[in-house]
Amino acid sequence: SHLNPITLGEIEEIWRTYFREDPMTDDQGRPVRVRPIRFHRDPDRFSRGLYLRYQLPLSLAERALTPLSFANGMRPYRRLMRWLVRSRKRVERVRGFSDLYSAYTVNSWIFMNEASRSLFDKLDAEDQASFGFDVQELDWRTFWTQVHIPGMRRFVVDEDDPR
């Protein structure tokens, strides 16, 4: 909100710190290295690039190799197919996150909250105490690290035990 603003740079720092301390893991259980975020001006172009450069070739290779069911008994074939499927799904996930978050990264937003504040002020004291609402008191680090990111990890990424 305009009363308690936060920049994308500050959000990135919070996220990077969070994931350095509590990393996601790759398919082999190794921590995923946190890299600086690169913001792209055109999210559709970014998504198309991912599709054309990675997702399409992986999908075509998967489709071309799937009919070779006689090779199912061969370990290299099974390993290759697992790698193709995992890699394609990984690219799909990145594209999904790009679509989800691009509205926030390509625009500059300032949210005004006078209307919400006015509605809150009309509640009786008991309801105000139950539903505390003061964006000025919001601790962004706590919000991102204790609410948003764990919720994303559990409900979007479908991790078993996010912090």
Side-chain angles (χ1 to χ4, degrees):
S1 127
H2 68 291
L3 298 174
N4 186 6
I6 186 168
T7 66
L8 281 176
E10 292 167 324
I11 294 170
E12 177 189 10
E13 183 275 323
I14 292 168
W15 281 58
R16 286 174 50 109
T17 300
Y18 176 95
F19 283 110
R20 274 195 302 267
E21 294 170 1
D22 190 10
M24 296 180 80
T25 56
D26 65 15
D27 296 331
Q28 282 73 45
R30 297 176 304 221
V32 174
R33 194 173 87 220
V34 180
R35 297 182 183 148
I37 296 173
R38 287 182 29 211
F39 295 104
H40 296 265
R41 291 190 183 277
D42 184 345
D44 292 331
R45 183 174 175 211
F46 173 74
S47 186
R48 272 192 313 276
L50 284 176
Y51 177 77
L52 293 171
R53 186 171 179 185
Y54 299 105
Q55 190 175 350
L56 180 62
L58 289 165
S59 295
L60 292 173
E62 186 181 346
R63 223 177 293 155
L65 293 172
T66 297
L68 305 177
S69 57
F70 66 86
N72 253 348
M74 296 185 227
R75 179 176 286 162
Y77 173 82
R78 288 193 315 269
R79 209 174 315 150
L80 174 61
M81 290 303 290
R82 277 194 306 271
W83 179 85
L84 285 170
V85 170
R86 278 194 312 263
S87 298
R88 177 184 46 78
K89 287 181 178 179
R90 189 175 297 130
V91 174
E92 288 171 359
R93 182 180 293 166
V94 170
R95 288 184 68 209
F97 280 129
S98 172
D99 292 344
L100 179 65
Y101 287 106
S102 66
Y104 304 102
T105 61
V106 297
N107 298 297
S108 181
W109 299 95
I110 297 177
F111 296 96
M112 307 305 282
N113 69 334
E114 285 89 1
S116 300
R117 186 76 221 180
S118 176
L119 289 171
F120 179 78
D121 289 341
K122 292 177 182 172
L123 295 174
D124 62 45
E126 185 179 330
D127 284 341
Q128 285 183 356
S130 296
F131 304 105
F133 177 84
D134 188 350
V135 73
Q136 289 176 287
E137 293 179 9
L138 180 62
D139 177 336
W140 283 112
R141 186 170 301 278
T142 299
F143 167 76
W144 289 111
T145 62
Q146 303 299 315
V147 179
H148 184 88
I149 299 172
M152 176 207 58
R153 291 178 82 169
R154 181 172 182 192
F155 298 109
V156 177
V157 180
D158 201 27
E159 279 186 336
D160 291 333
D161 187 27
R163 173 163 67 139

